[in-house]
Amino acid sequence: MGAELGELSIIADGGMLVTDGLIVATGPSGEIEKQMSGDAEVVDATGRVVLPGFVDAHAHPVFGGNRVAEFEMRARGATYEEIAASGGGIRSTVRQTRAATEDQLLARALKHAAWFIRAGTTTVEAKSGYGLSVEEELKILRVTRRLNEETPIEFVPTFLGAHAIPEEFQSAPDGYVSLVIDEMLPRVADEGLAEFCDVFCENGYFDVATSRKILTAAKARGLDIRIHADQLTNGGGAELAAELGAITADHLEQTEAPGIAALKRARVQPVLLPGSVYALGKARYPRAREMIEAGLAVVIATDFNPGSSPTPSMPMVLSLAATQMKMTPAEAVTAATINAAYSLKRGDKIGSLEAGQLANFVLYDCADYRELAYWFGFPQAHSVYLRGERISW
Ligand code: NIG
Ligand code: FE
């Protein structure tokens, strides 16, 4: 938080002892070598940077199809809002997701998992939200569960039934809100399919009063809260996150000083998603410096999704954090690892390389961690380890 965000404990010529998937000790290589048993496997990281695996705390990795046609429309001058208003946007992905079987969705999501790993990410939050009916939302969350069984990385499930009003409820949106509260939430909670509940709190999607209603019902069912807040308009989403004791308020491109103060009072973590600002060709990035100066435990994430942020790359997000939000590379690394881990309630297991933590770490082909944010647009990860095992994907 605050100035601490920029303090990394870097060990030059460092070593790390790993046993049974857990970090047992870190320190100067010489010290670690003394503690090593004779038959230990040695990984030589000479000349390379070793960092905790990135924790991507805001992503939408399970969806059908893509929106490359909309991407071209935006290149030709249409805006995200115009495309959504004419039936594209989230609804387009909902149509493509509903048309896919569970196995087809899984096959696609496995490809996304490989992309995350290649970029050095070892934990990914996974929102539903492209099904928008009881069965279709459950289908996405079941695919997420299968991702955890079939990939070495961890996906943390979030229920986002309130992502948009589906076409069939366009003339009766209240009916959809009732469906979310009375039918989806009980099934999701009873089947243990999600840890968090999220809402897209925005004009034309779910207003503050409706978001409050849905999230209050989610809390009553034992889910923790994240909110898509103030992305396109400053509608009081940050204040709502504070009022409800949300774990995170995400996006915040339009949030002003009162919203930042509310987050601070309630200790809500901001999750900043510069990839979506960049990919939508917008200019207004969230006010990261003010949030850091206010002492907030800022997180940065990809917002990986087929519409507003088609990147699984945390290093790209680090680059955007530095160039567009004026975060230092050290602040960006903290925001992408330990702070992100705390925002997923896993700060005691992942996000740092310390004794007792899971041995999820990545070796990079560079000698200084700042190079990760500096060279941009290509993966620099050399090898990725999960629970002490090198994975190839
Ligand atoms: O976080 N803002 C809402 N949801 C996504 C966009 C989803 C989409 O366009 O498919 C986001 O940017
Ligand atoms: Fe999102």
Side-chain angles (χ1 to χ4, degrees), residues 252-285:
L252 306 175
E253 285 88 327
Q254 314 300 329
T255 305
E256 307 275 0
I260 295 175
L263 296 178
K264 171 69 180 163
R265 274 196 301 279
R267 302 169 70 91
V268 179
Q269 285 190 263
V271 181
L272 309 183
L273 310 165
S276 67
V277 184
Y278 167 77
L280 293 181
K282 299 201 174 203
R284 184 165 166 152
Y285 285 82

Side-chain angles (χ1 to χ4, degrees), residues 5 33 38 50 62 80 104 139 152 206 214 220 270-271 340 353 368 393:
L5 200 66
E33 275 163 23
V50 181
V62 182
Y80 181 74
Q104 287 168 335
K139 178 171 89 178
F206 299 88
I214 296 166
V271 181
L353 300 180
D368 180 324
W393 252 62

Side-chain angles (χ1 to χ4, degrees), residues 8 18 65 94 103 111-112 127 129 184 218-219 303 349:
L8 302 179
V18 172
V94 170
D103 285 344
K111 186 166 181 164
H112 302 157
K127 301 178 193 293
M184 294 185 197
K219 256 172 93 168
D303 194 15
K349 292 190 183 64

Side-chain angles (χ1 to χ4, degrees), residues 17 39 56 64 66 82 91 142 148 156 216 285 307 310 316 334-335 338 349 378 388 390:
L17 192 63
D39 59 350
D56 190 346
N66 66 47
E82 285 162 3
R91 283 182 179 173
R142 278 191 223 108
N148 274 320
V156 179
T216 303
Y285 285 82
M316 179 67 196
T334 305
I338 188 66
K349 292 190 183 64
F378 68 102
R390 180 169 180 181

Side-chain angles (χ1 to χ4, degrees), residues 58 60 67 80 90 130 163 200 228 231 251 303 305 307-308:
H58 182 135
H60 308 245
R67 305 232 292 275
Y80 181 74
I90 293 172
Y130 290 120
H163 195 194
F200 187 16
H228 279 73
Q231 179 185 11
H251 276 289
D303 194 15
N305 75 72
S308 63

Side-chain angles (χ1 to χ4, degrees), residues 370-385:
R370 294 173 298 184
E371 292 181 66
L372 271 185
Y374 166 65
W375 309 110
F376 73 94
F378 68 102
Q380 295 179 73
H382 168 271
S383 44
V384 179
Y385 288 78

Side-chain angles (χ1 to χ4, degrees), residues 283-307:
R284 184 165 166 152
Y285 285 82
R287 295 153 72 150
R289 283 257 58 89
E290 279 173 53
M291 295 179 197
I292 293 167
E293 269 138 39
L296 288 166
V298 170
V299 176
I300 56 175
T302 61
D303 194 15
F304 175 67
N305 75 72

